[in-house]
Amino acid sequence: MGQPESGKISKITSLTPGKNGAIRRGTPAAVSETKPALKISGIACGCGSCDTETPKQELPPSEPKLTTAINCGCDSCDDEQKEQKADTQPSVSVGAISCSCDSCDDSHESVTSEEKQSLLTSNQKLVLAGIFAIAAEAIDWFSVSEWLAAFFALIAVALSGVTTYKKGWQALRRFDPNMHALMSIAVTGAFLIGQWPEAAMVMVLFNIAEFLESKSLERARNAIQELMTLTPEQALVQQSDNTWKELYINTVGVNQVIRIKPGVRIPLDGTVIRGSSSVDQAPITGESLPAEKNEGDLVYAGTINQQGSFDYRVTATTQNTLLARIIHSVEEAQGKRAPIQRLVDRFARIYTPIILIIAVLVALVPPLFFAAPWFEWLYKALVLLVIGCPCALVLSTPVAIVTALSVAARHGILIKGGHYLELGRKLQVLALDKTGTITTGKPELTDMIPLADTNIAECQQIAVALALHSEHPVSRTIVRAYPETADLSVQDITSLTGAGIQGVIAGETFRLISPKAFAANNALTAQVAQPISQYEAQGKTVVLLVKADTPLALFAVADTIKASSQQAITELHHLHIHTVMLTGDNAHTANRIATQAGIDQVYSNQLPEDKLNQIDTMSKHQIVGMVGDGINDAPALARASIGFAMGGMGSDTAIETADIALMDDDLRKVPLFVRLSQATWRNILQNITVALGIKAGFLLATLLGFGTLWMAVFADMGTSLLVVANAMRLLRFK
């Protein structure tokens, strides 16, 4: 095995079992007796200044392990550097993930310790910095006091810019100029020419953009913690003397038998050996309707039993269940995501050293080799540095990004980092979950046909009367479909486990029953069998209303497509984005929905790891997005270049794992995001072009002997104002 990748956690080991023996989050300070501590080994800082090595800590094979890949959150590491490989392997707690290398100027540990010692949190400091920066601008605008404006600006930079200066210094020390180095030079240059309010505002805007992006790590960590709570703490396990006893699930082994009662979550994977029921598998497979479980069928940890009761034989321990594999997949996918290097960072590696080299050459070459006056050429070098002061360049990206983020939020699109705006325009493939994403996620009654010479209204009334006494989703759908139906009195109600419900109305016995259960004891005539086959081929769920042994009516239920889905797919195709459906549902249902929506490609019967593998394969050569709403979508959302979660109906895990949340569950927001990304990219390029063009003109004037310090100030301030004004045009985006 090679060294772990930077920013990845190679092990999570439960040091202290909790009350239920399951893995729970520990605290950095101490571990209580009822909550286990999580020891995380193998997280490595990727910054270039870390050259220390921490020995690997091998743990006993008997202790439970989980492999993770949460990126390093230390403040002295650049985003792209966190993804690089390193040889360090510090140990940290999950409550305070950070790099513990010794050679990063102690900035990794100092951030946390300084915040503890400070009266203000980093967020509070940023808010105060913004207030002081605005105050400095106002004082300067109304010419109240230059010294007071400078004082307020210094306070704003001190509150928000210390970490930026540290990162910038480390980058310059490594001869690797990045965004932080560019920002440090920009603010320092603004100070040198007396533009105090401008320096403060640039620093505050930059740190707001950085703050928005820093939330991704925290959300990923929360997503994993939520997944760990899906299974129950204990299970009812059969003992060797055939008695039943509640045991912690981490003590249950393969081949032991567990009894599941109605309404409880299934603790471990296994195979049904006695009894039958319907199981809500939506947390794992995303299916909109419960799956019928009989002897020999598989059940999964984290799914929810409905009305029946059954016994099943365990096939996987806590570390090997499908749910555990989902957790592992989310963590691993987070670490596999390719680094997104921001535009200005890339440009800074060229621009910053060029300006510095030119300034040094202007200051030294003429006096040393041509006997030119030192003062004159030092002055020109200073003017050149001021002209080259990259305030406008630094503003070109953050102002456009922050403006675009606010525009997106106004449209109900919450974006967790500016770099996703830069990437969105490159989207080539969009994979979509079916249930709750393309469809409503709520079954609807689509068809009702009489099967005998009966009154339709009477059949509806009887069906509703029976369905009112069942909690099955199909029954609830029938009740919803006929809200005005008069209630009938039903006696001798019997739940037919895994089959339906039976009751006596006006002395006659009626049943709402599945075709499979009815056919087990009765022959289906062609009149009945033909519509059943037709509707089931369309992916619909069918129930029969039966009087004695005579079918009276057929009811077909299906998850229906959202009104906005077809338009969204059409808009995506106009943007030349290939669409793919990844669903845990059967092929009939998947193909029916895909045809209605106009989706290009369909993969059905997909478990979470199958979805992840499909995204992984597609991502090798293309920029792939994934839209989902369930826990079963979390691994694919984490692995995709851009993950979109349905923010209204979506699970917390999906929302926290994804990069973008669509708050009103409208798929049309995805093409809107792509168009916004394209507009933002154009705006950034315009800003950079304007900034470079103006500065190049003044630079030429300086070299020809026409440049003055005041011209440099005008070039710097004027360009910055133009850049800000151009970025504000994004507010008109619709």
Side-chain angles (χ1 to χ4, degrees), residues 71-138:
N71 294 333
C72 172
C74 63
D75 289 328
S76 65
C77 304
D78 302 325
D79 292 340
E80 58 269 25
Q81 290 168 332
K82 294 173 191 173
E83 301 287 344
Q84 297 170 354
K85 291 187 177 181
D87 293 331
T88 57
Q89 281 193 305
S91 296
V92 292
S93 73
V94 77
I97 293 181
S98 63
C99 172
S100 61
C101 57
D102 297 325
S103 57
C104 289
D105 297 336
D106 298 325
S107 58
H108 303 77
E109 298 174 1
S110 64
V111 173
T112 304
S113 60
E114 286 174 6
E115 188 164 311
K116 287 180 180 179
Q117 295 172 5
S118 173
L119 296 175
L120 301 173
T121 66
S122 57
N123 294 350
Q124 291 170 335
K125 287 180 180 179
L126 186 56
V127 171
L128 282 177
I131 293 172
F132 277 109
I134 293 171
E137 288 281 7

Side-chain angles (χ1 to χ4, degrees), residues 158-427:
L159 286 170
S160 63
V162 174
T163 301
T164 300
Y165 268 109
K166 284 182 179 180
K167 294 178 182 179
W169 166 244
Q170 289 163 3
L172 290 173
R173 191 182 65 183
R174 298 192 302 269
F175 300 103
D176 185 23
N178 60 5
M179 185 69 167
H180 299 96
L182 198 60
M183 169 57 63
S184 301
I185 294 173
V187 173
T188 303
F191 281 156
L192 289 175
I193 61 175
Q195 300 304 313
W196 306 94
E198 183 183 6
M201 192 58 70
V202 167
M203 183 64 80
V204 170
L205 283 173
F206 175 77
N207 278 280
I208 289 174
E210 290 286 294
F211 169 77
L212 293 173
E213 295 181 13
S214 70
K215 287 299 178 182
S216 296
L217 175 66
E218 179 183 344
R219 289 184 176 274
R221 204 162 53 227
N222 292 340
I224 295 168
Q225 291 301 322
E226 189 205 340
L227 285 172
M228 291 178 178
T229 65
L230 280 181
T231 53
E233 297 180 347
Q234 295 179 326
L236 187 61
V237 183
Q238 187 177 27
Q239 304 300 297
S240 57
D241 58 358
N242 291 327
T243 60
W244 298 86
K245 184 178 180 181
E246 291 277 352
L247 298 177
Y248 293 120
I249 61 171
N250 70 329
T251 64
V252 179
V254 174
N255 291 326
Q256 287 191 268
V257 176
I258 293 178
R259 175 161 292 174
I260 297 297
K261 297 179 180 179
V264 303
R265 284 189 183 269
I266 295 172
L268 297 167
D269 292 359
T271 304
V272 177
I273 59 173
R274 285 187 295 273
S276 62
S277 182
S278 56
V279 176
D280 180 3
Q281 298 187 147
I284 301 298
T285 66
E287 296 172 74
S288 54
L289 292 171
E292 299 299 329
K293 298 294 181 181
N294 299 294
E295 291 184 18
D297 290 337
L298 294 173
V299 291
Y300 302 109
T303 57
I304 307 165
N305 185 33
Q306 300 291 290
Q307 294 177 320
S309 179
F310 60 89
D311 299 340
Y312 76 97
R313 192 177 305 281
V314 175
T315 59
T317 57
T318 52
Q319 292 88 4
N320 300 309
T321 63
L322 180 59
L323 180 61
R325 296 203 300 272
I326 292 177
I327 295 172
H328 171 75
S329 297
V330 171
E331 296 160 340
E332 188 177 58
Q334 287 280 353
K336 280 187 177 179
R337 180 179 302 171
I340 304 169
Q341 195 177 28
R342 290 166 294 184
L343 172 68
V344 176
D345 264 344
R346 296 195 296 269
F347 184 78
R349 282 168 170 74
I350 302 172
Y351 178 84
T352 305
I354 287 177
I355 290 296
L356 292 174
I357 291 170
I358 291 176
V360 170
L361 291 176
V362 167
L364 298 180
V365 171
L368 289 177
F369 295 96
F370 302 101
W374 279 96
F375 178 81
E376 177 184 345
W377 288 96
L378 283 173
Y379 179 80
K380 287 183 179 181
L382 177 60
V383 172
L384 190 150
L385 272 177
V386 174
I387 291 173
C389 179
C391 284
L393 286 172
V394 170
L395 282 172
S396 64
T397 297
V399 171
I401 291 294
V402 170
T403 304
L405 289 175
S406 65
V407 170
R410 192 176 65 205
H411 286 87
I413 306 171
L414 299 186
I415 305 172
K416 300 179 186 177
H419 43 278
Y420 301 116
L421 272 171
E422 295 180 22
L423 189 62
R425 66 189 177 85
K426 300 179 182 178
L427 198 62

Side-chain angles (χ1 to χ4, degrees), residues 15-22 24 27 30-37 248:
L15 298 181
T16 309
K19 179 181 178 181
N20 61 342
R24 297 278 185 255
T27 59
V31 179
S32 69
E33 293 182 359
T34 58
K35 293 184 179 180
Y248 293 120

